[in-house]
Amino acid sequence: MIMDSPLALPASPALGLVQHASARVQRPLRIAFFSDALPERNGAGSYYQDLCHHLRAHGVVADLYQPHLKKRLQMALPLPGDPTQKLLTPNVPKLWAQFAAQQPDVVIAITPGPFGLLGLSLAKRFGCSFLSAFHTQFEELSRLYWNPLSRRVANGYLTLTNSVLCRHSRSVMVHNRALIETVERLGARQTDVMGTPLAPCFLDVPRLAHRASLRHVLFAGRLAPEKNVADVVAAARQLPHIQFSIAGDGPLRRKLERQARDLPNVQFWGWLSRPELRALMDECDLLVLPSALETFGTIALEAMARGRPALVAEGAGIHDWPKLRDGLLVQTRDESVTSALRRVQALPASQWQTRARQAREAAERLNQETVEQWITLVRRHLT
């Protein structure tokens, strides 16, 4: 069974109330999210930080159980091929006590790592409804990073743990339809296609007007093979009249910096906080996301919220959302970043202004519908 139509519910704190039959009283709806992603270090890490903010504004008690690099009593293992990404073990006694005190109604596991599996264990122990989310096709990424032996071990683990989470979930949330077949094969009984929320700093801070021309291009994300950042550097070499900003960190950072060493129109910013990234977006005219593998592409939605169109590779999941298409530009499969930029550079000023306005409106609309959709979904699966 597939559910992907967000219900138009009023944005009211009453949505966050749930009645407990035993007590015959109403209390705020309580949700516990379990994630192995570090806060704001990737798309999944940012997604649930933003979602929890909006849920709390609707009266929902939303807690996020996830690793923190500065916490003690945990083991940190760098992932093969990308030492900037770490797998951390949870402090089980501390999280167990925190969970027991929160008494959540619903548990949602976001990742197939130790934290996600702990969420399933606690949900079964305390009799909570259990849902899970499937954000990334890790098996596809393993082909880029790991040797055949490591890949076989990693994929065996991922298939097993994802199957356990999917089979025990009342519903598995995905962010584009292309993932439905994968999670059904893993044992999902029901799937829901969910939208993507936005951080307050992308919505609430006044925007700068778009210049209605193309002078400054931004790439933001992990500097990793699947992101095709080398094609952005190649475009900078071919288009010296355009300034390029590259924000983020990852295994390819040093190599990319060497490739761009002689390019005065390229600047590397490293990892930026969300407010810092928002400020950089406001200085740019266009975001580029040429990824070979992109489940959704949250950074493109964030740029749209700032009134900046986004040039996104054709295969990215964000293109599956019809309401966002007016704010997106498509880099086709046979185009390089250079060719695509030359094409969009020719857009008239009036079309740039129209796209900038449509991008902002579409991002705001999807954010509101996503929060309402999440509350409706959780209430539907209460025990």
Side-chain angles (χ1 to χ4, degrees):
M1 180 179 181
I2 299 169
M3 308 287 292
D4 66 345
S5 299
L7 302 179
L9 299 176
S12 165
L15 290 174
L17 296 178
V18 59
Q19 181 171 339
H20 284 252
S22 59
R24 301 294 181 185
V25 297
Q26 285 190 329
R27 74 169 195 184
L29 177 62
R30 300 183 181 187
I31 307 174
F33 295 95
F34 283 79
S35 171
D36 291 271
L38 291 168
E40 300 186 355
R41 283 286 174 171
N42 56 28
S46 300
Y47 184 106
Y48 292 94
Q49 292 279 345
D50 302 340
L51 177 62
C52 286
H53 169 86
H54 293 293
L55 291 176
R56 290 165 188 149
H58 282 70
V60 176
V61 177
D63 282 356
L64 187 54
Y65 296 75
Q66 66 183 155
H68 296 272
L69 283 177
K70 295 182 180 180
K71 296 290 184 181
R72 298 180 180 179
L73 299 178
Q74 60 184 0
M75 181 174 63
L77 298 174
L79 295 181
D82 186 2
T84 66
Q85 300 282 310
K86 297 182 183 295
L87 187 66
L88 303 174
T89 57
N91 182 337
V92 175
K94 180 177 179 180
L95 296 182
W96 188 295
Q98 180 182 342
F99 187 93
Q102 183 197 2
Q103 296 184 355
D105 304 297
V106 178
V107 174
I108 300 173
I110 300 164
T111 51
F115 278 79
L117 294 174
L118 176 62
L120 172 59
S121 298
L122 290 174
K124 292 172 70 66
R125 173 66 178 81
F126 286 85
C128 306
S129 294
F130 181 76
L131 308 172
S132 63
F134 190 92
H135 281 267
T136 305
Q137 290 179 303
F138 291 103
E139 291 84 353
E140 296 292 331
L141 288 177
S142 70
R143 296 175 186 173
L144 298 173
Y145 292 106
W146 297 331
N147 61 48
L149 178 59
S150 298
R151 186 162 63 242
R152 173 177 288 187
V153 173
N155 285 348
Y157 164 81
L158 291 168
T159 298
L160 176 63
T161 53
N162 276 318
S163 178
V164 169
L165 294 177
C166 287
R167 284 188 289 106
H168 285 87
S169 298
R170 293 191 172 198
S171 179
V172 179
M173 281 78 75
V174 296
H175 299 279
N176 72 57
R177 284 185 164 273
L179 297 177
I180 293 176
E181 182 180 354
T182 299
V183 298
E184 288 181 342
R185 190 167 60 248
L186 289 167
R189 292 169 292 174
Q190 179 176 315
T191 59
D192 286 271
V193 183
M194 309 300 290
T196 298
L198 286 160
C201 69
F202 292 102
L203 292 169
D204 301 341
V205 177
R207 291 170 294 128
L208 298 177
H210 195 281
R211 284 187 294 232
S213 62
L214 183 57
R215 305 179 197 172
H216 194 167
V217 170
L218 169 67
F219 170 87
R222 289 182 59 243
L223 306 186
E226 71 274 12
K227 299 294 185 178
N228 284 339
V229 195
D231 209 12
V232 178
V233 175
R237 192 173 296 279
Q238 296 294 320
L239 303 169
H241 57 286
I242 297 178
Q243 180 68 31
F244 286 78
S245 288
I246 298 177
D249 203 353
L252 295 184
R253 180 174 178 179
R254 291 185 179 180
K255 180 179 179 180
L256 292 166
E257 288 176 337
R258 287 196 300 269
Q259 292 175 352
R261 190 163 40 201
D262 62 332
L263 298 177
N265 62 326
V266 176
Q267 183 171 359
F268 287 84
W269 293 86
W271 183 85
L272 298 176
S273 67
R274 307 295 282 291
E276 290 170 335
L277 179 58
R278 186 263 309 157
L280 181 58
M281 276 181 181
D282 287 352
E283 296 177 7
C284 298
D285 307 305
L286 179 74
L287 178 115
V288 294
L289 190 61
S291 307
L293 184 64
E294 195 70 64
T295 304
F296 180 76
T298 303
I299 189 66
L301 184 66
E302 292 168 344
M304 291 171 61
R306 302 309 298 165
R308 300 303 185 259
L311 174 65
V312 183
E314 188 174 7
I318 194 171
H319 291 299
D320 292 341
W321 294 84
K323 294 178 181 179
L324 300 180
R325 287 175 184 168
D326 289 340
L328 293 170
L329 297 160
V330 181
Q331 178 191 347
T332 62
R333 298 183 190 278
D334 59 348
E335 273 188 314
S336 65
V337 174
T338 303
S339 299
L341 287 176
R342 283 175 172 158
R343 173 170 55 82
V344 302
Q345 192 176 24
L347 293 175
S350 59
Q351 191 166 341
W352 276 110
Q353 291 170 338
T354 299
R355 282 190 176 274
R357 174 179 52 79
Q358 291 173 332
R360 169 69 180 191
E361 293 172 353
E364 286 182 321
R365 186 164 55 249
L366 181 63
N367 178 77
Q368 179 180 351
E369 291 178 352
T370 295
V371 178
E372 295 168 354
Q373 183 188 14
W374 267 101
I375 295 175
T376 302
L377 174 97
V378 172
R379 287 177 61 84
R380 192 171 75 232
H381 290 290
L382 288 175
T383 299

